[in-house]
Amino acid sequence: MSLLADTSSREAHTHSGETLVPDQSRAERTRSWSVADFPVPTGREEDWRFTPVGDLADLFSDEGGSAALDVTHHLPEGVTRSTVTAEEARALGVPEPADRAAAVAASGDSVVVIDIPAEAELTEPVRIQLDGASRETVRAHHVVRTGAFASATIVVEHSGSSDYTELLSVLAGDSSRLTVVSLQDWQDDTHHLGQHDVVVGRDAHVRHIAISIGGGIVRLNTNASYAGPGGSFEGLGVYFADAGQHLEHRLFVDHEAPHCSSNVEYKGALQGETAHTVWVGDVLIRAAAEGTETYELNRNLVLTDGARADSVPNLEIETGEILGAGHASTTGRFDDQQLFYLQSRGIDADTARRLVVRGFFNSIVQRIGDSEISDRIMVAIDEELEGGPEAGA
């Protein structure tokens, strides 16, 4: 439904001049396999100032643990799974962790590697289902490798209860076509800190889709880089925060290769007292990245009083030889005029409200490419909206 597509008001924009000035260039920030290279966050750091770090002490601890999620891998024919040591995983060329939680996730004894062979054209997705049965602290590292000219979809589903710190490394081979869907559908008591790294091969295309509809605190960092010219990255996201939830999505697109492109679009809705969402989009165009084209967009829909959306786009450009670069961010309240428009045509208030919110998300949900996941998202949104605006107040 297109009624809401471009109607988010700029009056509720939460970023300011102060917000848009980071403490340093993204190119200068620490990346390391060593947990000791990252101090425990206090909440005063630029990268952590929106995050309730006081509730996440267990996920910053470098003490070893044996807890694990219940993991199920559904692998189409030709796709293989192996287990390697942390040192062997690093030799595959996966990017280094960018914060303490990711370094903790990478410090485990073993890493699961999923390999999709060259020229494979998968007709069904690779599914990785991760389910937590208790609030034990869990760390894990998955690597997904796609051979040259392959075409595949990877679906990573998170559910249950856990304190989970995650590193997912995606290596897309030259001229491959890959879609990665990450669904955060946790119970409300879960804390989840994740880092997803995507390395886009020469002339490859990768679409990463983050969907966060569950969990008490969820913070997902998605980092994209390019292994050669001609690559393209598409980062899409959908999130719905209810009362008491903190859902945070951070993206960093590092354009260091020439003639590459990126497009980022995230949409979120908030409902209920203390519902909080954070979106931070960083794009760096390095001096060597001539011919770059990039754009990032974030839109937030605030459904009730007491909810807060922080939206921070950042763009660094080190060369003028680009095709284009831009960003936009809007945050606004539910439009009563649209509600009145639908009600005047015989649609009751609850149904009209649901239609408008569904229309807000529809442009992204329909691009997921997995009907089961798309249907689950819409059902979850309908459940959140049951009872009208007062439901989340």
Side-chain angles (χ1 to χ4, degrees):
M1 183 175 178
S2 61
L3 286 174
L4 192 60
D6 293 294
T7 58
S8 295
S9 169
R10 294 181 182 272
E11 295 178 1
H13 240 177
T14 57
H15 70 255
S16 63
E18 180 182 358
T19 301
L20 293 174
V21 182
D23 57 351
Q24 61 182 166
S25 167
R26 281 304 306 246
E28 300 170 350
R29 299 190 187 180
T30 301
R31 297 201 73 149
S32 173
W33 294 108
S34 174
V35 177
D37 287 339
F38 301 97
V40 175
T42 65
R44 293 187 294 273
E45 303 85 357
E46 176 65 26
D47 280 356
W48 294 98
R49 64 193 181 92
F50 294 115
T51 312
V53 296
D55 297 325
L56 303 171
D58 290 348
L59 297 181
F60 299 135
S61 174
D62 58 355
E63 296 180 3
S66 58
L69 299 179
D70 182 14
V71 183
T72 304
H73 295 92
H74 299 273
L75 307 180
E77 184 177 357
V79 179
T80 61
R81 179 186 66 198
S82 60
T83 302
V84 302
T85 66
E87 290 73 20
E88 290 171 329
R90 297 170 192 177
L92 299 177
V94 300
E96 295 176 312
D99 62 27
R100 185 178 178 92
V104 169
S107 65
D109 296 330
S110 62
V111 179
V112 175
V113 180
I114 305 295
D115 277 302
I116 300 168
E119 301 183 2
E121 294 189 9
L122 303 186
T123 58
E124 59 178 305
V126 175
R127 293 188 180 273
I128 304 173
Q129 296 175 312
L130 305 163
D131 185 69
S134 67
R135 283 292 306 279
E136 291 186 275
T137 302
V138 179
R139 63 187 65 173
H141 184 188
H142 272 80
V143 176
V144 176
R145 294 192 297 179
T146 304
F149 295 97
S151 177
T153 296
I154 313 293
V155 178
V156 183
E157 300 182 51
H158 303 91
S159 60
S161 297
S162 181
D163 279 355
Y164 183 52
T165 179
E166 167 196 39
L167 183 61
L168 174 65
S169 306
V170 178
L171 308 176
D174 293 349
S175 298
S176 63
R177 297 291 182 268
L178 182 62
T179 297
V180 180
V181 181
S182 179
L183 173 62
Q184 289 64 246
D185 193 14
W186 299 104
Q187 295 296 315
D188 289 343
D189 60 349
T190 292
H191 297 162
H192 175 193
L193 301 180
Q195 176 178 310
H196 292 186
D197 289 306
V198 176
V199 180
V200 184
R202 183 187 185 100
D203 295 322
H205 173 76
V206 179
R207 173 184 289 178
H208 181 280
I209 306 171
I211 305 145
S212 296
I213 53 179
I217 300 173
V218 174
R219 172 183 153 123
L220 187 62
N221 296 333
T222 302
N223 305 311
S225 58
Y226 300 82
S232 63
F233 171 77
E234 191 174 7
L236 304 177
V238 169
Y239 49 90
F240 197 125
D242 209 340
Q245 281 187 294
H246 176 99
L247 304 180
E248 182 168 346
H249 297 85
R250 291 173 172 264
L251 294 99
F252 173 39
V253 183
D254 189 353
H255 281 279
E256 70 273 56
H259 306 294
C260 293
S261 65
S262 64
N263 183 70
V264 172
E265 183 177 352
Y266 273 61
K267 287 186 176 182
L270 302 86
Q271 171 180 269
E273 191 72 24
T274 71
H276 186 197
T277 65
V278 178
W279 179 88
V280 178
D282 291 336
V283 175
L284 170 62
I285 304 175
R286 298 179 186 262
E290 296 182 355
T292 292
E293 185 170 14
T294 181
Y295 191 78
E296 56 179 353
L297 171 66
N298 176 229
R299 287 190 173 132
N300 296 289
L301 179 61
V302 179
L303 300 175
T304 65
D305 292 335
R308 172 184 171 185
D310 289 295
S311 182
V312 186
N314 296 306
L315 180 60
E316 296 181 67
I317 305 175
E318 297 179 353
T319 175
E321 300 297 324
I322 62 173
L323 296 181
H327 60 229
S329 172
T330 60
T331 300
R333 294 186 176 277
F334 190 88
D335 193 333
D336 290 334
Q337 289 186 345
Q338 295 173 18
L339 190 63
F340 175 78
Y341 176 86
L342 292 171
Q343 287 183 273
S344 69
R345 279 151 179 78
I347 301 174
D348 65 86
D350 288 346
T351 301
R353 188 167 181 268
R354 184 176 294 110
L355 287 173
V356 172
V357 175
R358 275 175 161 262
F360 176 69
F361 286 121
N362 188 64
S363 64
I364 294 180
V365 172
Q366 295 307 312
R367 290 150 72 185
I368 292 174
D370 186 299
S371 59
E372 179 184 343
I373 296 296
S374 298
D375 290 344
R376 284 173 61 184
I377 294 170
M378 287 306 189
V379 168
I381 290 171
D382 287 344
E383 290 175 350
E384 294 282 2
L385 292 170
E386 284 183 359
E390 292 79 10

